[in-house]
PDB file of all heavy atoms in Angstrom:
ATOM      1  N   ALA A 566     142.834 110.054   5.113  1.00  0.00           N
ATOM      2  CA  ALA A 566     142.399 108.688   4.775  1.00  0.00           C
ATOM      3  C   ALA A 566     141.925 108.658   3.328  1.00  0.00           C
ATOM      4  O   ALA A 566     142.176 107.691   2.592  1.00  0.00           O
ATOM      5  CB  ALA A 566     141.289 108.249   5.739  1.00  0.00           C
ATOM      6  N   ALA A 567     141.222 109.721   2.901  1.00  0.00           N
ATOM      7  CA  ALA A 567     140.773 109.800   1.510  1.00  0.00           C
ATOM      8  C   ALA A 567     141.964 109.876   0.563  1.00  0.00           C
ATOM      9  O   ALA A 567     141.986 109.268  -0.531  1.00  0.00           O
ATOM     10  CB  ALA A 567     139.870 110.996   1.325  1.00  0.00           C
ATOM     11  N   TYR A 568     143.012 110.592   0.950  1.00  0.00           N
ATOM     12  CA  TYR A 568     144.243 110.734   0.147  1.00  0.00           C
ATOM     13  C   TYR A 568     144.929 109.373   0.025  1.00  0.00           C
ATOM     14  O   TYR A 568     145.302 108.948  -1.084  1.00  0.00           O
ATOM     15  CB  TYR A 568     145.148 111.751   0.831  1.00  0.00           C
ATOM     16  CG  TYR A 568     146.552 111.828   0.291  1.00  0.00           C
ATOM     17  CD1 TYR A 568     146.824 111.995  -1.073  1.00  0.00           C
ATOM     18  CD2 TYR A 568     147.645 111.764   1.152  1.00  0.00           C
ATOM     19  CE1 TYR A 568     148.106 112.078  -1.566  1.00  0.00           C
ATOM     20  CE2 TYR A 568     148.949 111.837   0.690  1.00  0.00           C
ATOM     21  CZ  TYR A 568     149.187 112.007  -0.677  1.00  0.00           C
ATOM     22  OH  TYR A 568     150.468 112.099  -1.141  1.00  0.00           O
ATOM     23  N   GLU A 569     145.078 108.683   1.167  1.00  0.00           N
ATOM     24  CA  GLU A 569     145.741 107.377   1.161  1.00  0.00           C
ATOM     25  C   GLU A 569     144.959 106.342   0.373  1.00  0.00           C
ATOM     26  O   GLU A 569     145.564 105.427  -0.225  1.00  0.00           O
ATOM     27  CB  GLU A 569     145.961 106.889   2.582  1.00  0.00           C
ATOM     28  CG  GLU A 569     147.107 107.596   3.285  1.00  0.00           C
ATOM     29  CD  GLU A 569     147.477 106.906   4.606  1.00  0.00           C
ATOM     30  OE1 GLU A 569     146.522 106.500   5.344  1.00  0.00           O
ATOM     31  OE2 GLU A 569     148.670 106.751   4.892  1.00  0.00           O
ATOM     32  N   SER A 570     143.648 106.481   0.340  1.00  0.00           N
ATOM     33  CA  SER A 570     142.825 105.512  -0.387  1.00  0.00           C
ATOM     34  C   SER A 570     142.797 105.737  -1.868  1.00  0.00           C
ATOM     35  O   SER A 570     142.140 105.005  -2.627  1.00  0.00           O
ATOM     36  CB  SER A 570     141.399 105.498   0.186  1.00  0.00           C
ATOM     37  OG  SER A 570     140.735 106.716  -0.104  1.00  0.00           O
ATOM     38  N   GLY A 571     143.470 106.798  -2.303  1.00  0.00           N
ATOM     39  CA  GLY A 571     143.588 107.069  -3.734  1.00  0.00           C
ATOM     40  C   GLY A 571     142.424 107.821  -4.327  1.00  0.00           C
ATOM     41  O   GLY A 571     142.069 107.600  -5.505  1.00  0.00           O
ATOM     42  N   THR A 572     141.832 108.713  -3.576  1.00  0.00           N
ATOM     43  CA  THR A 572     140.760 109.566  -4.115  1.00  0.00           C
ATOM     44  C   THR A 572     141.260 110.255  -5.399  1.00  0.00           C
ATOM     45  O   THR A 572     142.297 110.897  -5.377  1.00  0.00           O
ATOM     46  CB  THR A 572     140.329 110.624  -3.093  1.00  0.00           C
ATOM     47  OG1 THR A 572     139.813 109.974  -1.935  1.00  0.00           O
ATOM     48  CG2 THR A 572     139.275 111.563  -3.667  1.00  0.00           C
ATOM     49  N   PRO A 573     140.532 110.100  -6.486  1.00  0.00           N
ATOM     50  CA  PRO A 573     140.988 110.706  -7.794  1.00  0.00           C
ATOM     51  C   PRO A 573     141.216 112.205  -7.655  1.00  0.00           C
ATOM     52  O   PRO A 573     140.424 112.909  -7.050  1.00  0.00           O
ATOM     53  CB  PRO A 573     139.844 110.385  -8.737  1.00  0.00           C
ATOM     54  CG  PRO A 573     139.133 109.225  -8.131  1.00  0.00           C
ATOM     55  CD  PRO A 573     139.258 109.405  -6.668  1.00  0.00           C
ATOM     56  N   GLU A 574     142.303 112.661  -8.263  1.00  0.00           N
ATOM     57  CA  GLU A 574     142.644 114.111  -8.351  1.00  0.00           C
ATOM     58  C   GLU A 574     142.617 114.766  -6.979  1.00  0.00           C
ATOM     59  O   GLU A 574     142.179 115.909  -6.817  1.00  0.00           O
ATOM     60  CB  GLU A 574     141.651 114.823  -9.280  1.00  0.00           C
ATOM     61  CG  GLU A 574     141.655 114.259 -10.714  1.00  0.00           C
ATOM     62  CD  GLU A 574     140.566 114.879 -11.586  1.00  0.00           C
ATOM     63  OE1 GLU A 574     139.523 115.273 -11.016  1.00  0.00           O
ATOM     64  OE2 GLU A 574     140.782 114.985 -12.793  1.00  0.00           O
ATOM     65  N   PHE A 575     143.159 114.065  -5.989  1.00  0.00           N
ATOM     66  CA  PHE A 575     143.105 114.565  -4.608  1.00  0.00           C
ATOM     67  C   PHE A 575     143.805 115.892  -4.490  1.00  0.00           C
ATOM     68  O   PHE A 575     143.276 116.851  -3.876  1.00  0.00           O
ATOM     69  CB  PHE A 575     143.699 113.554  -3.617  1.00  0.00           C
ATOM     70  CG  PHE A 575     143.591 114.003  -2.173  1.00  0.00           C
ATOM     71  CD1 PHE A 575     142.480 113.635  -1.411  1.00  0.00           C
ATOM     72  CD2 PHE A 575     144.581 114.798  -1.610  1.00  0.00           C
ATOM     73  CE1 PHE A 575     142.385 114.070  -0.101  1.00  0.00           C
ATOM     74  CE2 PHE A 575     144.454 115.239  -0.293  1.00  0.00           C
ATOM     75  CZ  PHE A 575     143.362 114.851   0.464  1.00  0.00           C
ATOM     76  N   GLN A 576     145.043 116.000  -5.011  1.00  0.00           N
ATOM     77  CA  GLN A 576     145.828 117.232  -4.861  1.00  0.00           C
ATOM     78  C   GLN A 576     145.075 118.434  -5.437  1.00  0.00           C
ATOM     79  O   GLN A 576     145.003 119.497  -4.819  1.00  0.00           O
ATOM     80  CB  GLN A 576     147.208 117.114  -5.503  1.00  0.00           C
ATOM     81  CG  GLN A 576     148.224 116.349  -4.668  1.00  0.00           C
ATOM     82  CD  GLN A 576     148.182 114.860  -4.883  1.00  0.00           C
ATOM     83  OE1 GLN A 576     147.169 114.327  -5.378  1.00  0.00           O
ATOM     84  NE2 GLN A 576     149.241 114.156  -4.549  1.00  0.00           N
ATOM     85  N   GLU A 577     144.477 118.230  -6.640  1.00  0.00           N
ATOM     86  CA  GLU A 577     143.760 119.332  -7.248  1.00  0.00           C
ATOM     87  C   GLU A 577     142.566 119.749  -6.421  1.00  0.00           C
ATOM     88  O   GLU A 577     142.324 120.964  -6.233  1.00  0.00           O
ATOM     89  CB  GLU A 577     143.314 118.889  -8.663  1.00  0.00           C
ATOM     90  CG  GLU A 577     142.585 120.003  -9.437  1.00  0.00           C
ATOM     91  CD  GLU A 577     142.126 119.536 -10.800  1.00  0.00           C
ATOM     92  OE1 GLU A 577     142.638 118.495 -11.280  1.00  0.00           O
ATOM     93  OE2 GLU A 577     141.208 120.181 -11.383  1.00  0.00           O
TER      94      GLU A 577
END
Side-chain angles (χ1 to χ4, degrees):
Y568 169 52
E569 283 191 318
S570 67
T572 298
E574 301 174 330
F575 183 91
Q576 281 87 340
E577 182 181 342

